[in-house]
Amino acid sequence: MSESAKETVSKAEKTAKVQKLVGVKGMNDILPPDSARWEWLEDQVRQLMARYAYRHVRLPIVEPTALFVRGLGEVTDIVEKEMYSFEDRLNGEQLTLRPEGTAGLVRAVVEHNLLYEGGKRLYYMGPMFRHERPQRGRYRQFHQIGAEVLGFGGPEVDAELILLAHDLWKVLGLSEVRLELNSLGQPAERLAHRQALIAHLEKHSDALDEEAQRRLHSNPLRILDTKNPALQGVVEAAPRLLDFLGETSLAHFHAVKAILDANGVAYSINPRLVRGMDYYNLTVFEFITTRLGSQGTICGGGRYDYLIEQVGGKPAPAVGWALGVERVLELIKEQGDVLPELAPDVYAIVPDTRAVPVAMQVLQALRASGVSAQMHAGSGEGMGSMKSQFKKADASGARFALVFGAQEVEQGLVAIKSLRDGEGAQRTESLTALAEWAHTLQSTL
Ligand code: ATP
Ligand code: MG
């Protein structure tokens, strides 16, 4: 075989071997310009949290599997079938990609004894992982923002958290979000209700689906949360947990409602609202929109007074919520948002490579004074023609092109061309006067 034939063969082999790699199903790349939406939302959240004096925590994405099994409850959708659990093959540890944020936060609070000096108001944001069937509003890597108040047992913090979320919808410009409220009472009250509920469900056991059959004795409350339309009749006729609440639980519930009423927050009571995790008691709530199809819950939360001790801490009450960032962003888009401007202010055109160092210097000075500036980048074999550089400048969306001609630069000059007004007015400035120009430009941004 000739040398060139050999070369052709090995090239073919190479292309055959290099398979295109794609991302994991249900785990999305967040790319520009969409990423600007994400950052805008995160900024709004940070500002609002600061106004409520909530502090940010950043926690690991991987936790011991036992934390979630113990914390969320063994008979929950998440623990039964949605967790990404694995054994660290280097040391045999059983680990899980966090499916939600509360358990890890409680673990950290206990581990670092954060409640030692009294209660804490905290928030987090970041990716969560659940092995679900990917569809609109449901992904395998998704993102939550959560707010949690630990160490306070009173209804005022439940209401404060709801007001915080309600304010967030306002800041984000979201209407068409409604609030549903319920109380799950205390464990003893739940036990009495549970017996009545099991009796009711057993009477209708023929009508139950496989999942409900399985949960009948392990977690009957969750059956109330079923999405199976065939079960709605049985579930609607079931005994209501609200009717089993004692005076103290009812007083807590009424106090939360009174604060919401006084602050003009509308809600409806949904006696069948139970939430997915086992750890909730007393107040539970969801914010729901009808604009996103069946994945309409954008935020959910409630009180979890027993989770801290379940994770091995000194008993302390707590309450919190988590919102789904993808769903909130989807709703913002649905309501017709305007994407934030991503164009640079200035694009530098440099026809002659000899002018590159000076052009770079000028851009650095512009950036230092707050102007967003993009340098034309060549192919590696020169900078390209003036025409092609102007095309790139236009495509960038920049307001101005700075043209660094070799001759002009030698004379200490640069051309400034407006790219937005049709005519493209052009003038020449001295490099030293550019700082002044940048200043006026900045004040018009
Ligand atoms: P759903 O009933 O939709 O399954 P959930 O009760 O499992 O929700 P939570 O565990 O309460 O949800 O999580 C809080 C929020 O996180 C949800 O209201 C939703 O906005 C979002 N969320 C939950 N799971 C997903 C997912 N797989 N993909 C995208 N967002 C999600
Ligand atoms: Mg779910």
Side-chain angles (χ1 to χ4, degrees):
M1 215 192 296
S2 75
E3 278 305 306
S4 73
K6 263 190 213 157
E7 233 169 59
T8 320
V9 170
S10 78
K11 251 191 202 160
E13 265 176 3
K14 261 188 208 152
T15 20
K17 251 189 248 156
V18 183
Q19 243 183 31
K20 195 165 91 186
L21 293 170
V22 295
V24 178
K25 190 173 166 201
M27 304 199 179
N28 301 316
D29 301 309
I30 299 155
L31 307 171
D34 213 34
S35 52
R37 274 201 183 92
W38 285 70
E39 275 157 20
W40 173 79
L41 181 136
E42 287 162 4
D43 283 346
Q44 299 303 315
V45 168
R46 271 190 262 275
Q47 287 170 29
L48 188 65
M49 292 293 179
R51 274 182 260 146
Y52 276 78
Y54 281 52
R55 306 298 173 216
H56 197 181
V57 288
R58 293 163 179 260
L59 301 169
I61 284 164
V62 179
E63 295 277 0
T65 300
L67 173 66
F68 302 113
V69 176
R70 247 206 276 167
L72 309 190
E74 253 166 286
V75 196
T76 55
D77 279 346
I78 295 180
V79 173
E80 276 185 340
K81 53 192 185 204
E82 296 174 0
M83 292 209 299
Y84 283 93
S85 297
F86 57 97
E87 182 183 300
D88 182 335
R89 55 192 168 92
L90 299 179
N91 62 9
E93 279 183 87
Q94 299 301 319
L95 304 175
T96 293
L97 298 185
R98 63 181 187 192
E100 56 97 63
T102 304
L105 182 121
V106 164
R107 194 261 316 134
V109 162
V110 170
E111 189 171 333
H112 304 290
N113 207 11
L114 290 189
L115 298 183
Y116 178 67
E117 296 167 324
K120 283 270 181 295
R121 291 169 160 91
L122 304 170
Y123 75 100
Y124 60 83
M125 28 182 137
M128 305 294 161
F129 302 84
R130 296 183 193 175
H131 196 103
E132 303 196 71
R133 194 170 65 78
Q135 54 194 290
R136 184 188 188 197
R138 198 177 288 290
Y139 310 100
R140 291 182 173 171
Q141 173 171 337
F142 63 101
H143 297 74
Q144 285 186 342
I145 295 174
E148 317 271 3
V149 178
L150 306 105
F152 301 108
E156 62 280 357
V157 286
D158 308 24
E160 176 182 289
L161 275 160
I162 293 174
L163 290 178
L164 169 55
H166 183 260
D167 265 357
L168 184 60
W169 315 141
K170 260 197 273 178
V171 168
L172 299 177
L174 296 181
S175 47
E176 298 182 61
V177 180
R178 66 168 206 280
L179 169 61
E180 287 191 358
L181 214 55
N182 192 19
S183 175
L184 299 182
Q186 297 292 12
E189 293 156 349
R190 283 230 289 262
L191 199 63
H193 168 258
R194 183 190 155 104
Q195 280 154 2
L197 179 61
I198 292 177
H200 169 81
L201 293 170
E202 273 175 341
K203 253 196 299 179
H204 301 276
S205 73
D206 296 346
L208 300 185
D209 60 18
E210 199 187 317
E211 189 176 67
Q213 292 282 2
R214 199 161 40 81
R215 287 187 167 167
L216 183 54
H217 293 279
S218 57
N219 196 350
L221 199 58
R222 287 285 281 138
I223 299 174
L224 297 181
D225 193 32
T226 180
K227 284 171 182 135
N228 183 352
L231 261 129
Q232 295 309 312
V234 179
V235 152
E236 255 156 52
R240 294 166 12 136
L241 182 44
L242 271 179
D243 298 328
F244 287 75
L245 300 194
E247 229 172 86
T248 318
S249 294
L250 281 176
H252 187 103
F253 195 41
H254 293 321
V256 174
K257 291 188 290 184
I259 300 172
L260 298 181
D261 291 336
N263 285 277
V265 177
Y267 55 84
S268 57
I269 308 293
N270 176 359
R272 287 169 41 204
L273 179 66
V274 299
R275 312 271 309 123
M277 277 70 93
D278 272 2
Y279 52 56
Y280 291 109
N281 68 305
L282 291 175
T283 321
V284 289
F285 54 90
E286 283 186 354
F287 288 94
I288 302 165
T289 175
T290 46
R291 294 289 292 268
L292 297 177
S294 52
Q295 268 60 257
T297 305
I298 59 170
C299 176
R303 199 159 255 295
Y304 52 95
D305 292 333
Y306 305 98
L307 181 60
I308 296 179
E309 55 182 299
Q310 217 161 300
V311 169
K314 213 170 113 219
V319 51
W321 52 247
L323 66 81
V325 177
E326 283 83 356
R327 292 187 197 175
V328 168
L329 284 172
E330 191 64 26
L331 186 56
I332 292 175
K333 259 198 247 178
E334 190 76 17
Q335 302 198 339
D337 70 332
V338 184
L339 255 185
E341 179 95 61
L342 284 183
D345 305 319
V346 165
Y347 191 98
I349 289 176
V350 193
D352 189 319
T353 48
R354 283 174 303 173
V356 167
V358 171
M360 283 288 207
Q361 241 181 323
V362 170
L363 291 203
Q364 289 300 85
L366 290 178
R367 289 168 184 145
S369 64
V371 172
S372 145
Q374 188 164 74
M375 175 79 180
H376 179 77
S379 63
E381 292 154 14
M383 299 296 278
S385 73
M386 188 82 121
K387 193 172 156 208
S388 71
Q389 292 196 40
F390 261 111
K391 257 196 193 156
K392 289 274 157 52
D394 274 328
S396 79
R399 280 172 65 195
F400 295 97
L402 294 185
V403 187
F404 293 88
Q407 261 178 0
E408 286 86 346
V409 165
E410 240 166 62
Q411 295 163 23
L413 297 173
V414 61
I416 304 175
K417 189 170 172 15
S418 168
L419 296 174
R420 297 263 180 99
D421 46 16
E423 287 304 296
Q426 181 165 332
R427 63 204 168 83
T428 310
E429 277 289 352
S430 79
L431 286 173
T432 45
L434 214 55
E436 189 50 39
W437 174 78
H439 188 73
T440 41
L441 173 65
Q442 240 239 309
S443 63
T444 65
L445 293 179

